[in-house]
Amino acid sequence: MELVQLPNPTATRIRSRTGFSPTLGELLKHVEDAQNDNPNAPTQHVLDLNSTPNSSHPFVLSFTNLTYSVKVRRKMILSPCFTYSNHDLLPENDATDAKTDNAATKILLNDISGEARDGEIMAVLGASGSGKSTLIDALADRISKESLKGSITLNGDVLESRMLKVISAYVMQDDLLFPMLTVEETLMFSAEFRLPRSLSRSKKKARVHALIDQLGLRNAATTVIGDEGHRGVSGGERRRVSIGIDIIHDPIVLFLDEPTSGLDSTSAFMVVKVLQRIAQSGSIVIMSIHQPSYRILGLLDRLIFLSHGQTVFSGSPANLPPFFSEFGHPIPENENRTEFALDLIRELEEAPGGTKGLVDFNKQWQLKNKRISEKTLSGIPKVSLKDAISASISRGKLVSGAPAGTSTSNDSNQLAAASSVHTFVNPFWIEMAVIAKRSLTNSRRMPELFGIRLGAVLVTGAILATMFYHLDNSPKGVQERLGFFAFAMSTTFYTCAEAIPVFLQERYIFMRETAYNAYRRSSYVLAHSIISVPSLVFLSFAFAATTFWAVGLAGGTTGFLFYFLTIVASFWAGSSFVTFLSGVVSHVMLGFTVVVAILAYFLLFSGFFISRDRIPPYWIWFHYISLVKYPYEGVLQNEFDLNPPRCFVRGTQMFDSTPLMEVPEALKVELLKSMSKTLGINITSSTCVITGADVLKQQGVTQLSKWNCLWITLAWGFFFRFLFYLTLLFGSKNRRR
């Protein structure tokens, strides 16, 4: 790896040293030269994956005596007498302990030690359940430090979580990508998140194009990722895209959890070949792999075989034959060495003594080879972590960690560069813009989702408009209005339930990106809150315009405006509530069940089925936290609290909904005259008995004005967005305990 100084752009020509397609470094150098018209601009450094790293500043990741255990709840077994007995679960000598402790301890990692160097690929092998992924998680700081015992150092310095997040990347086993983005767009958004603002967009785009060439994705650059319902790239290409989004900033340490899982042999080989080039560029590559082929084995530099959390072999692939030969199980000449080792380990695991003999033999083997390696490495000077990071940045690595304008011409500046690694590359407003653009791009290519939601709103509005068409000002009209408003306001909340899968589908993408500080959690919450508003406003207008005049609601233009704003506020509060629940629950069906149940409770306590005055005291608190209560009371006041007041019950209409309703009209008039004499008030057939204000009193809508109801509904939306942020802040750590 060399420090690249930019020449004059007029003298620069893009030329490959081999005569074929230009390398990543050459492409980036070409763009750097083209953009370097300003003589005062800071010098940019780029990475050439085909160059050899400078061995004078090596990185060595060492881990010593890593031990990790978890408590497993014991299964309850009923004895013939239908009583629970711990003796049925444990050997005789453990039965006493079980009386006081119903949790067993399972050791996942047991005294694991080793080291990984830059320029090399270290592979962790073993059968399913051997602890491969657990070891990768331990090295990648994805296990709580309180639970993990042992030490992990980089160049002798203990790795802090903040530093590791910046200098490393973690590629999960599952390909977590947005399905409707193209390969180039996916990598470009990753570049926007991980590369510093000091790099112009053209330089970021050049880096993406060069990375696409290095990953072998040029033919698929404009193809969408795809999912079950949309045809996209192949499995091997998806895996290389997953790797690309995490190496866009050229990390020093790269962790991968079974990157070849589910791929055919050719695709798996191409993936590991890419990892080899990444390692040769000066990175430490640590990966777990289930059963590598012969070709893949030739690309690996160090192997660690695990069995039930213990190391049974650690060393280079070339040491496998002598190791197993000395153990008494020589590897046949024409047999795959890793397959033979894994088969032998599996046989030993099923034997009575287990792999204890192989574990002990490996410890003796490591002691013997440790003395030899110490003599070999005694002449190599040790380099501090700060010096190594500074030198690495000066060679173009760790782009997100290099502050704009930082020079590395002398030792003091190198130390400053190493110590000034940023927690986040971009300010929050840029993060918000990128998140919003990515989400809108992905959603725009699936218009059917919004179309279905709009269709549901329009169909519901049309049914309500025809069912409650032109309500009159009668006692029945009052009851029908109450029913319309209760159903309409609750519908706005129920139609928001479709937002549950949105975050649940993005949850693991979010956890992967925020685990290594691609953006702030607050930026994610604010961006998704802002981009949801236009669609909510459009849906609200469609529903309000469909129902307001058809039902015959009062208030004219100002009444429609408040009705529309209340529906907007209801959609906002409902969307925020559902979004918050999607951050709490982890399963789609569970989320729908919880949302439907809670919204039903909100409607029950809203004041429609039973007025506030009639709700039992021990349930009154639920009335005040009901989301449906406030928009429901707001639209009721918008309809009934008018000036001049409207009359809804006149004279003989007071007998409606009573047994006297069937009495002839003349007799009703006589009854009114008798009531007038008794009460001393003249009541005729046209006398107004109940106005809109009386309806509100009967419904218990007297505490808040309609505008206060609107503001409270909006405030509920902001409150649940804040709760959603807290769930992301404290509930999405993506770390084992």
Side-chain angles (χ1 to χ4, degrees), residues 35-201:
Q35 299 293 330
N36 194 24
D37 295 330
N38 182 5
N40 298 322
T43 302
Q44 301 287 347
H45 305 285
V46 297
L47 167 68
D48 186 352
L49 289 183
N50 293 330
S51 63
T52 303
N54 187 351
S55 59
S56 62
H57 294 86
F59 287 100
V60 180
L61 179 68
S62 302
F63 47 98
T64 307
N65 306 125
L66 294 184
T67 301
Y68 173 57
S69 60
V70 295
K71 287 188 176 182
V72 182
R73 298 295 301 177
R74 300 179 187 275
K75 296 181 180 179
M76 297 181 65
I77 299 178
L78 293 177
S79 66
C81 297
F82 299 98
T83 57
Y84 175 72
S85 174
N86 286 321
H87 294 269
D88 296 329
L89 304 175
L90 295 175
E92 198 172 302
N93 56 349
D94 290 336
T96 305
D97 295 335
K99 293 179 182 179
T100 57
D101 185 9
N102 287 333
T105 299
K106 182 178 181 180
I107 299 176
L108 302 182
L109 297 178
N110 188 1
D111 199 29
I112 306 293
S113 299
E115 68 176 24
R117 296 177 175 272
D118 60 348
E120 298 179 347
I121 299 178
M122 187 181 80
V124 184
L125 295 89
S128 298
S130 61
K132 301 188 301 295
S133 297
T134 305
L135 178 57
I136 298 294
D137 286 346
L139 297 176
D141 192 34
R142 291 163 64 89
I143 296 179
S144 174
K145 293 189 180 298
E146 292 78 15
S147 303
L148 181 66
K149 299 178 182 178
S151 63
I152 303 174
T153 62
L154 185 61
N155 285 23
D157 292 346
V158 176
L159 267 177
E160 298 294 335
S161 297
R162 178 178 175 272
M163 176 64 74
L164 184 62
K165 282 184 178 182
V166 177
I167 68 173
S168 67
Y170 185 98
V171 180
M172 296 181 179
Q173 184 174 348
D174 299 323
D175 298 320
L176 305 172
L177 305 168
F178 285 90
M180 300 312 295
L181 299 181
T182 66
V183 170
E184 183 177 348
E185 288 172 340
T186 301
L187 294 175
M188 191 65 203
F189 281 120
S190 179
E192 295 285 355
F193 285 130
R194 303 305 297 265
L195 301 186
R197 281 195 301 162
S198 58
L199 288 178
S200 64
R201 181 172 177 81

Side-chain angles (χ1 to χ4, degrees), residues 123 212 225 245 336 625 710:
I212 288 175
I225 300 298
I245 60 178
N336 186 307
I625 67 171
L710 176 64

Side-chain angles (χ1 to χ4, degrees), residues 37 58-59 103 199 201 212 222 258 339 381 477 501 586 591 654 716:
D37 295 330
F59 287 100
L199 288 178
R201 181 172 177 81
I212 288 175
T222 57
E258 297 200 18
E339 290 182 4
S586 57
M654 73 172 63
W716 273 120

Side-chain angles (χ1 to χ4, degrees), residues 139-390:
L139 297 176
D141 192 34
R142 291 163 64 89
I143 296 179
S144 174
K145 293 189 180 298
E146 292 78 15
S147 303
L148 181 66
K149 299 178 182 178
S151 63
I152 303 174
T153 62
L154 185 61
N155 285 23
D157 292 346
V158 176
L159 267 177
E160 298 294 335
S161 297
R162 178 178 175 272
M163 176 64 74
L164 184 62
K165 282 184 178 182
V166 177
I167 68 173
S168 67
Y170 185 98
V171 180
M172 296 181 179
Q173 184 174 348
D174 299 323
D175 298 320
L176 305 172
L177 305 168
F178 285 90
M180 300 312 295
L181 299 181
T182 66
V183 170
E184 183 177 348
E185 288 172 340
T186 301
L187 294 175
M188 191 65 203
F189 281 120
S190 179
E192 295 285 355
F193 285 130
R194 303 305 297 265
L195 301 186
R197 281 195 301 162
S198 58
L199 288 178
S200 64
R201 181 172 177 81
S202 60
K203 295 176 184 178
K204 293 177 182 178
K205 195 167 186 178
R207 188 175 185 86
V208 168
H209 287 172
L211 186 58
I212 288 175
D213 291 332
Q214 291 293 331
L215 295 173
L217 296 170
R218 176 53 58 191
N219 293 332
T222 57
T223 305
V224 296
I225 300 298
D227 56 9
E228 295 82 358
H230 303 85
R231 186 175 179 84
V233 297
S234 66
E237 290 169 336
R238 285 175 63 94
R239 190 59 49 84
R240 279 177 274 160
V241 174
S242 296
I243 295 173
I245 60 178
D246 284 311
I247 67 169
I248 192 71
H249 66 300
D250 199 10
I252 294 173
V253 186
L254 178 62
F255 303 100
L256 304 101
D257 186 12
E258 297 200 18
T260 61
S261 177
L263 303 180
D264 59 80
S265 58
T266 301
S267 299
F269 176 77
M270 293 180 65
V271 168
V272 180
K273 189 68 177 176
V274 169
L275 297 179
Q276 185 189 50
R277 291 200 294 266
I278 295 171
Q280 291 173 350
S281 71
S283 295
I284 299 174
V285 177
I286 303 175
M287 58 182 280
S288 60
I289 188 168
H290 185 66
Q291 196 163 343
S293 64
Y294 178 80
R295 291 195 302 168
I296 291 178
L297 183 61
L299 303 177
L300 306 178
D301 301 287
R302 292 174 183 263
L303 304 177
I304 292 182
F305 283 83
L306 298 180
S307 173
H308 296 308
Q310 292 182 299
T311 306
V312 293
F313 173 80
S314 178
S316 68
N319 288 335
L320 280 172
F323 176 84
F324 284 100
S325 179
E326 292 188 24
F327 183 64
H329 293 76
I331 302 177
E333 291 185 5
N334 297 325
E335 189 163 348
N336 186 307
R337 289 172 284 177
T338 56
E339 290 182 4
F340 175 86
L342 292 171
D343 291 341
L344 176 61
I345 293 170
R346 191 173 295 110
E347 291 177 6
L348 293 175
E349 288 175 347
E350 297 173 356
T355 57
K356 185 177 185 303
L358 186 57
V359 171
D360 294 338
F361 177 77
N362 175 66
K363 291 180 180 178
Q364 297 174 5
W365 174 276
Q366 295 301 324
L367 287 175
K368 181 175 68 175
N369 285 272
K370 185 178 181 180
R371 290 191 290 267
I372 298 175
S373 61
E374 285 176 351
K375 292 180 180 179
T376 305
L377 299 175
S378 59
I380 300 178
K382 293 184 179 180
V383 182
S384 68
L385 180 58
K386 286 186 176 181
D387 289 339
I389 292 179
S390 295

